[in-house]
Amino acid sequence: MARRRSCLLLLGTALAGAAVRSQGASASNAPPTPRAAKVLRIASPSETGFDPARAGDIPSLLVISHLFEPLLGFDPLARPVKLRPRTAAAMPESSADYRTWTVKVQPGIFFTDHPAFQGRRRELTAADYVYSIKRLADPAHKSTAWSGLEQTGITDLAAARRQALEQKKPFDYDRPIEGLVALDRYTIRFQLDAGRPRFPYQIAETTTGAVAREVIEAVGELAPQHPVGTGPFRLAEWRRASRIVLERNPGYREVRYDAEPAADDAEGQRILARMRGRRLPMIDRVEIAIIDESQPTWLAFLNDEADLVVLPPEFTGVAMPGGRIAPHLARRGIRAQRVTLPASYYTMFNMEHPVVGGYAPHQVALRRAVALGIDVQREIELLRHGSAVAAQSPVAVHLSGFDPAYKSEMSDHDPARARALLDLYGWRDRDGDGWREQPDGSPLVLEMATQPNQQTRGFDELMKRDMDALGLRVVFRTAQWPEQYKAARAGKLTMWSVQGRASSPDGLEGLLRYNGAAKGGINLARFDHPAMNAVIERLLALPDGPERDAAFREAKRLTAVWMPYKLRTHPVQVTLTQPWLVGFRRPLFWSNWFETVDLEPRARAD
């Protein structure tokens, strides 16, 4: 009983306060949720906002993916993953050289209501995708998606961005873009500077979801607070960093559940048999509590106040002893899914920082010494409780170019070698106080950005222990995650540990953060080296095959040589679901899944 009161207090704090309705109406005027409504309840870390062109964090993209729709999506059950049309009428058609791609938009898809539409139903058109993709190129939005989009080489789009930057004028949305054309109301033609065999993955990105120009122009800088899309849900309430509520989009088109699991995929075939033909979405409402601490998240799930939980690593021993679900949870019908994610947890070094950055031998030596000093295996055992694997390269599992036999310096923990590197390149303790100085004799302090939560504090303690063993003084600068993310993109952090996840099965996804053109976007380290830029360009153009595999090996080698990021782990995520949540399968490269699950009747704990 005491535990339950504690859980309710903690969760209640996260959900407290009046919520803001998406169209400005007071939450106090909202009608009560009908008792028969199917309400999915989950917890999530802090969000930043719901504009596809501006968001880059996973919690925000989770919501965005249910409000806005790209042209393509992923089959919810197919493994290996498979693209399929979402708002497109069919899969894209390409020219023989993969430079021209044509896509048809389904007629009869409509945006949710907004005053900018003046009382009329607003149909989705090809022009909406042209406008939405132009927004990713607009320098004013500082979109993290631009770095990946730029590499696709849509003819004239980068030039339009450069014009806005050089002339210091607003991006001209009315300027024709040769490579991005609405041929008619429902047809888009993409023209690329070079062949891009995997271009369809780009138009399956959550950030390419269609927005309506008149809405964006009406709400201006408030676009992250007023999302208007064509997706299966719409934003009903939002209290920043506290509570998000989505409700079924009443104008959503008729979409029926279908999927193509492999013939030998027993679980996938079971889900398909149960869900096939049901109209989407199957639930009425999603309530998301913003909780950054692990304990209240876990307790809410235990007390039937959440339908799903991504298991916090510190509770692995309680919930999954020996890798199997605990008997007391199994008796309740709780199910577990364990997946190694196509994601990497890494520590970035700001390559433009005068101490940890740079390309000179002594600067490279410092980064490689820090990397060798980080005890990844201890991190996996103590902090992740076995729920991770050591990263050898940024090409994670499930991605093309991943080689399970590949081994690199990334996973090594070798303090002796690290100290030898520091000594050799002049990072010595000259005054005998136990702390090393810079080669010129000035003080050496490593500044590490961090967040104010219990889990991160554990990583900070281990980092300090590892750096102390090398004689490197490290200090921690604490701020909330959204603030650190913004500062990292602006090049204002020295070092920071963060997790990134691939949004497509192309192994190049993990390497784009090493692309010089992506500085200020996904390239938080601001790494810019000609050799890496060149190999990334080759990977973009090459078809899958031995030559591309060789290019991946070269790219992996360069990541360890220059060490702009210390790759630490690929997380293993365990998701627990209540027995009444049906149809859930952990997505790999996409975020939208609310519409493909259902809730059976159940008795919640009081």
Side-chain angles (χ1 to χ4, degrees):
M1 182 63 72
R3 185 183 72 176
R4 173 152 180 80
R5 285 197 299 269
S6 173
C7 174
L8 288 173
L9 177 61
L10 288 164
L11 187 60
T13 300
L15 298 177
V20 180
R21 290 194 61 87
S22 62
Q23 298 300 329
S26 169
S28 61
N29 296 328
T33 303
R35 292 183 62 85
K38 295 179 178 180
V39 182
L40 175 69
R41 294 180 174 91
I42 63 172
S44 170
S46 296
E47 78 296 356
T48 58
F50 311 124
D51 181 350
R54 299 173 189 242
D57 59 289
I58 291 174
S60 296
L61 291 173
L62 171 67
V63 175
I64 287 170
S65 68
H66 295 90
L67 306 176
F68 300 93
E69 295 182 292
L71 287 159
L72 305 180
F74 287 90
D75 186 298
L77 299 180
R79 303 292 188 273
V81 298
K82 181 179 180 181
L83 281 176
R84 65 181 190 179
R86 189 161 175 187
T87 61
M91 291 298 291
E93 297 179 358
S94 76
S95 59
D97 61 1
Y98 300 110
R99 292 185 60 186
T100 303
W101 295 82
T102 306
V103 191
K104 293 276 189 179
V105 179
Q106 295 179 47
I109 298 175
F110 295 91
F111 287 94
T112 56
D113 295 338
H114 189 273
F117 300 146
Q118 300 179 350
R120 296 187 294 269
R121 294 190 77 192
R122 170 64 159 79
E123 189 181 26
L124 174 70
T125 68
D128 294 316
Y129 282 105
V130 170
Y131 173 73
S132 300
I133 291 172
K134 285 181 178 180
R135 292 188 75 231
L136 302 180
D138 186 343
H141 298 145
K142 300 178 180 178
S143 177
T144 58
W146 169 245
S147 52
L149 182 63
E150 183 180 23
Q151 299 311 305
T152 65
I154 296 176
T155 301
D156 198 36
L157 187 58
R161 176 184 171 89
R162 284 195 302 272
Q163 182 182 61
L165 287 168
E166 292 168 0
Q167 297 181 359
K168 298 181 179 179
K169 293 181 179 180
F171 188 89
D172 184 1
Y173 285 94
D174 294 316
R175 167 183 165 165
I177 302 296
E178 182 183 346
L180 186 60
V181 178
L183 298 177
D184 56 41
R185 185 171 179 82
Y186 301 114
T187 308
I188 311 167
R189 185 190 66 205
F190 297 93
Q191 186 70 37
L192 312 181
D193 291 333
R196 295 289 183 258
R198 288 158 295 277
F199 175 74
Y201 289 132
Q202 182 64 56
I203 54 176
E205 295 272 2
T206 297
T207 49
T208 63
V211 301
R213 181 171 182 171
E214 55 265 55
V215 172
I216 299 299
E217 292 179 347
V219 301
E221 290 300 309
L222 298 180
Q225 302 173 34
H226 298 275
V228 176
T230 63
F233 295 91
R234 63 184 182 184
L235 183 65
E237 303 173 11
W238 180 29
R239 181 177 176 84
R240 188 180 294 273
S242 177
R243 172 181 168 92
I244 304 166
V245 178
L246 308 182
E247 63 184 14
R248 180 199 296 265
N249 175 4
Y252 191 58
R253 63 193 179 277
E254 183 170 333
V255 178
R256 300 284 176 173
Y257 188 100
D258 196 15
E260 296 182 23
D264 60 353
D265 180 358
E267 180 196 27
Q269 292 292 343
R270 177 184 57 79
I271 294 174
L272 178 62
R274 188 170 190 172
M275 312 296 276
R276 193 204 304 262
R278 297 192 190 184
R279 185 168 182 175
L280 308 183
M282 292 175 268
I283 58 175
D284 303 298
R285 185 176 170 94
V286 183
E287 296 179 358
I288 305 172
I290 305 302
I291 308 176
D292 287 318
E293 294 287 354
S294 300
Q295 186 182 37
T297 300
W298 174 236
L299 292 178
F301 179 77
L302 286 182
N303 287 280
D304 294 351
E305 294 163 353
D307 303 309
L308 171 149
V309 67
V310 175
L311 182 65
E314 58 266 42
F315 297 107
T316 300
V318 175
M320 296 287 292
R324 299 174 63 87
I325 192 161
H328 72 283
L329 298 177
R331 285 193 294 270
R332 292 171 54 177
I334 291 172
R335 297 181 293 270
Q337 294 185 27
R338 191 174 189 272
V339 177
T340 302
L341 297 180
S344 298
Y345 179 69
Y346 56 87
T347 298
M348 53 141 282
F349 300 92
N350 183 348
M351 294 295 289
E352 296 176 354
H353 190 274
V355 177
V356 304
Y359 300 85
H362 72 283
Q363 295 168 316
V364 176
L366 175 62
R367 293 193 298 273
R368 291 180 70 168
V370 170
L372 287 167
I374 294 175
D375 192 343
V376 170
Q377 196 56 45
R378 187 177 178 88
E379 172 186 318
I380 292 172
E381 294 170 0
L382 294 184
L383 302 179
R384 298 195 179 276
H385 302 271
S387 296
V389 295
Q392 306 295 342
S393 87
V395 182
V397 65
H398 306 297
L399 302 182
S400 61
F402 174 75
D403 179 0
Y406 181 78
K407 172 71 176 65
S408 77
E409 179 184 303
M410 281 294 179
S411 61
D412 291 349
H413 175 233
D414 193 339
R417 185 180 170 200
R419 286 190 288 266
L421 267 175
L422 293 168
D423 290 340
L424 180 63
Y425 286 93
W427 304 89
R428 303 189 187 98
D429 176 12
R430 288 172 169 77
D431 57 13
D433 66 351
W435 301 110
R436 295 175 184 269
E437 281 78 46
Q438 297 188 48
D440 64 3
S442 57
L444 172 59
V445 178
L446 304 178
E447 291 191 1
M448 186 82 179
T450 187
Q451 292 79 247
N453 60 64
Q454 184 176 356
Q455 184 179 21
T456 305
R457 283 192 290 273
F459 283 87
D460 294 344
E461 291 169 3
L462 188 57
M463 182 71 173
K464 185 177 186 309
R465 168 190 174 277
D466 290 340
M467 295 303 100
D468 284 354
L470 303 182
L472 296 174
R473 191 195 308 268
V474 59
V475 297
F476 298 93
R477 307 299 185 196
T478 304
Q480 295 293 337
W481 194 94
E483 297 172 38
Q484 301 287 34
Y485 179 64
K486 182 178 179 180
R489 291 188 61 194
K492 295 180 179 179
L493 299 185
T494 305
M495 298 167 61
W496 188 37
S497 294
V498 68
Q499 182 170 304
R501 193 183 82 190
S503 57
S504 86
D506 184 5
L508 186 59
E509 284 255 330
L511 292 167
L512 286 179
R513 70 173 62 96
Y514 293 82
N515 193 341
K519 290 191 295 185
I522 191 175
N523 184 357
L524 299 180
R526 310 180 81 80
F527 178 65
D528 193 354
H529 192 277
M532 179 60 83
N533 296 340
V535 75
I536 287 174
E537 183 61 31
R538 292 204 307 274
L539 285 164
L540 281 162
L542 285 169
D544 293 335
E547 189 177 355
R548 196 167 195 251
D549 290 341
F552 271 124
R553 288 192 294 273
E554 173 63 7
K556 294 173 188 178
R557 186 187 69 83
L558 291 171
T559 66
V561 166
W562 297 103
M563 200 64 70
Y565 302 91
K566 162 62 175 180
L567 297 169
R568 299 165 72 134
T569 59
H570 301 311
V572 175
Q573 190 174 89
V574 176
T575 305
L576 301 181
T577 56
Q578 300 284 7
W580 51 78
L581 177 63
V582 297
F584 176 80
R585 172 174 272 190
R586 177 68 175 83
L588 291 177
F589 302 105
W590 59 100
S591 300
N592 60 300
W593 58 268
F594 298 164
E595 69 267 37
T596 60
V597 299
D598 201 359
L599 292 163
E600 296 179 337
R602 78 279 187 186
R604 286 188 177 274
D606 295 328

